[in-house]
Amino acid sequence: MVQIEQLAARTPAVSVEELLKGFYPSPRFGEVSFDSYRPDPSQPSQANAVKLLSAFADGVGSDDGGGLFKKLFAKKAPATRAGIYLDGGFGVGKTHLLASLWHRSPGPKAFGTFVEYTNLVGALSFRKTVEALSSYKLVCIDEFELDDPGDTVLMSRLMRELADAGVKLAATSNTLPGSLGEGRFAAVDFQREIQVLADQFDVVRIDGEDFRHRGLPAAPAPLKTEELKHRMRAEFDGKTVAVDDFRTLVNHLAAVHPSRYRQLLAGVEAVVWSDVETITEQAVALRFVVLADRLYDKDVPILASGVPFDQLFTEEMMTGGYMKKYFRAVSRLTALAREAQNHEPA
């Protein structure tokens, strides 16, 4: 028996306290470690990143006093700046490594995506966010991207004030910190703020191909709409499944702030979308990227009919300023679709 829900019928409310309590790795990365990361032998930068991050973890919280003996003999991290920045393509395991750093390091500590931190500022105010995070030993920022000038100024100020307070910073992105914002807005006009961001981090490059496609079969083709109910019962028996018409769901997302997408998916163990179609509006597409990230965080498998996920965004979007966001979303949705169709139907 499948318990049917509808995401389009949900309008979650999230308190400030719930936002603050949510800054930890998602269940997908809840028990990862440096030992569980599998470096590609053909990409030595991956093993090197593990070594550097492990050393960085040893330095988190090392300036908390503890007497003369500790100060003289404590192991020092090699990084010379407040933070460490993992630069590399999507699917090379940056989030795995960032979560491993979080698990290894002492608390208090925070782990969240870039958009979750900007949403936190919107919920608390900038000053209260600084006050809340300044007592932390480590702040991890996953999927660091600057989408507009306001975010550039906001995050440069936040990172600078946290670094001044002695907080260690760690971030992942598909873009070098000095190049954030390029292709999205006139980055040259905000070069000072971008440089402030770049100055906070030592950059660690991670090369490699998308592990979600490494040695795996091609993504499954979309199902026919009339097949969805049968396949849902075969794949998701005993689970709570959110079943939505794709266009209805996309329209509903406009009424739910992205900071609430994690709660939107609360209790959902799988999703089924009928008649997936190409998204043609940029604002709609960017919202859907956030939903894709939250689905991937929770490891929610997807059954869908309509266009394949590599046609979810327009060609112009896939070659424009936000292309890395869209490629990441396609990669993650494809992985979740593959998980859903893990065996032949009965």
Side-chain angles (χ1 to χ4, degrees), residues 17 43 59 97-98 120 126 145 151 161 177 215 267 305 333 338 345:
E17 291 74 19
Q43 302 289 347
L97 290 173
L98 188 68
L120 182 66
F126 179 83
E145 285 289 348
D151 282 347
E161 296 208 22
S305 67
L333 292 170
R338 185 183 295 122

Side-chain angles (χ1 to χ4, degrees), residues 326-339:
Y326 297 136
F327 271 99
R328 184 182 75 235
V330 169
S331 175
R332 290 181 166 186
L333 292 170
T334 296
L336 295 175
R338 185 183 295 122
E339 289 181 21

Side-chain angles (χ1 to χ4, degrees), residues 4 57 76 86 96 101 111 117 132 149 178 190 192 209 261 282:
I4 303 295
K76 299 294 183 181
L86 306 182
H96 183 131
L101 170 65
F111 184 104
Y117 285 103
F190 295 86
R192 182 177 66 83
E209 62 178 308
Y261 287 3
Q282 191 92 271

Side-chain angles (χ1 to χ4, degrees), residues 282-330:
Q282 191 92 271
V284 177
L286 290 172
R287 281 196 296 269
F288 205 82
V289 166
V290 178
L291 182 66
D293 288 338
R294 300 294 78 79
L295 286 166
Y296 187 75
D297 287 346
K298 291 172 62 66
D299 198 15
V300 178
I302 302 170
L303 287 176
S305 67
V307 303
F309 287 133
D310 59 4
Q311 296 177 29
L312 184 59
F313 307 110
T314 66
E315 184 176 349
E316 182 180 9
M317 291 176 184
M318 298 297 287
T319 57
Y322 299 104
M323 62 180 292
K324 291 176 181 177
K325 285 180 178 287
Y326 297 136
F327 271 99
R328 184 182 75 235
V330 169

Side-chain angles (χ1 to χ4, degrees), residues 94-154:
K94 299 188 302 298
T95 300
H96 183 131
L97 290 173
L98 188 68
S100 299
L101 170 65
W102 188 90
H103 287 300
R104 170 79 80 84
S105 301
K109 52 194 175 181
F111 184 104
T113 63
F114 176 84
V115 71
E116 286 175 316
Y117 285 103
T118 58
N119 290 336
L120 182 66
V121 172
L124 292 180
S125 81
F126 179 83
R127 184 49 48 197
K128 289 185 178 180
T129 300
V130 172
E131 291 174 0
L133 297 180
S134 290
S135 62
Y136 284 36
K137 292 181 172 64
L138 175 69
V139 169
C140 295
I141 309 152
D142 199 18
E143 300 157 10
F144 205 118
E145 285 289 348
L146 300 184
D147 298 334
D148 59 53
D151 282 347
T152 303
V153 175
L154 173 70

